[in-house]
């Protein structure tokens, strides 16, 4: 599973520089900002849905990865702000934020799994076993495609967690 963001520096906050700590803000959050801004400035067909990929770290933090979780949380906020602006301008564009679960199926996720396993003093296989069923590219593909087919919730911000069990709406 490729990802469109920067791989965070995997080390505790006190071992980060500002540059390593803010890397995900400069890449991931900036990418989402420009994408969402363009969707509002150049309106899409009413009923369109803009999907912003965040991370489960936005909900729980991520001590070994610097500013990663904060950058991903800001993506959630941006999508919510955009839904409000769409509603105010009556654009009919919905926004969804998806927070995928950590998975060793990506290079980024494998580094995260290794960091958390090391932090807990266990091997990566044991840590990954707790994530079963693992989130896979097939699950991501199918659930994001299904999400994009739902055009009933215009001008709304919907949030989802995505795990090996699939997409689950957050309350």
């Amino acid at each position: 599973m490729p990802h469109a963001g920067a791989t965070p520096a995997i080390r505790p906050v006190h071992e980060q520089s500002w540059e390593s700590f803010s890397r995900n803000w400069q890449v991931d959050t900036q990418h989402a900002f420009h994408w969402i801004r363009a969707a509002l400035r150049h309106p899409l067909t009413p009923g369109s849905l803009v999907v912003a990929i965040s991370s489960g770290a936005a909900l729980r933090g991520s001590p070994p990865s610097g500013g990663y979780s904060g950058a991903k949380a800001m993506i959630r906020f941006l999508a919510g702000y955009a839904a409000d602006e769409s509603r105010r301008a009556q654009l009919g564009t919905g926004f969804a934020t998806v927070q995928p679960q950590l998975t060793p199926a990506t290079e980024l996720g494998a580094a995260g799994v290794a960091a958390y396993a090391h932090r807990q003093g266990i091997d990566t296989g044991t840590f990954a076993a707790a994530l079963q069923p693992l989130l896979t590219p097939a699950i991501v593909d199918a659930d994001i495609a299904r999400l994009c087919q739902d055009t009933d919730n215009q001008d709304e911000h919907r949030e989802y967690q995505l795990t090996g069990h699939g997409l689950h709406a957050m309350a």
Side-chain angles (χ1 to χ4, degrees):
M1 252 180 345
H3 61 90
T7 300
I10 304 292
R11 53 185 172 265
V13 68
H14 65 284
E15 295 177 9
Q16 299 266 347
S17 65
W18 176 248
E19 289 73 26
S20 66
F21 181 87
S22 66
R23 183 166 187 230
N24 294 101
W25 284 86
Q26 296 300 324
V27 177
D28 302 15
T29 308
Q30 185 176 165
H31 166 83
F33 167 80
H34 289 298
W35 183 255
I36 288 168
R37 182 175 177 250
L40 292 170
R41 292 178 62 120
H42 307 285
L44 302 167
T45 304
S48 296
L49 179 68
V50 175
V51 178
I53 305 296
S54 177
S55 169
L59 304 171
R60 293 174 289 287
S62 180
S65 57
Y68 179 82
S69 58
K72 295 301 186 172
M74 188 63 219
I75 292 170
R76 291 178 65 208
F77 289 130
L78 283 170
Y81 301 162
D84 184 53
E85 294 305 324
S86 177
R87 186 173 32 260
R88 290 168 41 97
Q90 300 177 336
L91 299 178
T93 300
F95 291 82
T97 305
V98 176
Q99 287 110 342
Q101 174 186 27
L102 180 62
T103 178
T106 67
E107 188 177 314
L108 173 67
V113 166
Y116 278 107
H118 176 74
R119 194 171 172 88
Q120 293 178 14
I122 60 176
D123 64 87
T124 57
T126 302
F127 186 88
L131 302 173
Q132 297 292 334
L134 293 178
L135 182 58
T136 65
I139 293 169
V140 174
D141 291 348
D143 280 4
I144 297 296
R146 196 169 18 261
L147 177 62
C148 290
Q149 293 170 0
D150 176 11
T151 59
D152 293 337
N153 299 307
Q154 296 178 0
D155 293 333
E156 290 186 9
H157 179 223
R158 297 174 279 160
E159 292 189 78
Y160 301 90
Q161 289 183 300
L162 183 56
T163 69
H165 292 291
L167 203 59
H168 305 281
M170 296 173 57

